[in-house]
Amino acid sequence: MSGAESFVPTPLLLSESARARLASLIDEEGNSQLKLRVYVTGGGCSGFQYGFDFAEDVGEDDTLVEFGEVGLVVDPLSYQYLVGSTVDYEEGLAGARFLVQNPNATTTCGCGASFMV
């Protein structure tokens, strides 16, 4: 690396199971423009909580991270809390859900839906 180059951390990663489930949901909806929006809001038992939604439009200040045929959208406020995280998908006794594995979280709740930095 020369002095002019800089390392830019990957904003978000998407596990193989999350990619497969997202591709399946997009296929079910019949809309290849859909992306998974990942966001952080105040609340939850640990201070912040994760949210997921479908987004067709990407805002001017949003970050879009593409993984082949699927993509994640993050708003600028949530981005700072999610840099370096992995979005995963799991199916188990508690049901099926997307979740965030966040190396920035100092504390997480038992269900994994909220965190503290």
Side-chain angles (χ1 to χ4, degrees), residues 44-69:
C45 50
S46 293
F48 294 100
Q49 60 188 11
Y50 302 110
F52 301 94
D53 198 3
F54 274 120
E56 189 170 9
D57 298 320
V58 178
E60 188 176 298
D61 55 352
D62 285 338
T63 298
L64 172 62
V65 185
E66 295 182 300
F67 302 90
E69 300 294 315

Side-chain angles (χ1 to χ4, degrees), residues 16-66:
E16 287 299 321
S17 61
R19 289 181 200 196
R21 182 59 180 149
L22 185 52
S24 173
L25 290 170
I26 290 169
D27 190 50
E28 287 175 22
E29 291 293 320
N31 183 351
S32 63
Q33 299 303 307
L34 289 177
K35 312 280 187 269
L36 182 64
R37 180 174 289 281
V38 183
Y39 57 92
V40 173
T41 59
C45 50
S46 293
F48 294 100
Q49 60 188 11
Y50 302 110
F52 301 94
D53 198 3
F54 274 120
E56 189 170 9
D57 298 320
V58 178
E60 188 176 298
D61 55 352
D62 285 338
T63 298
L64 172 62
V65 185
E66 295 182 300

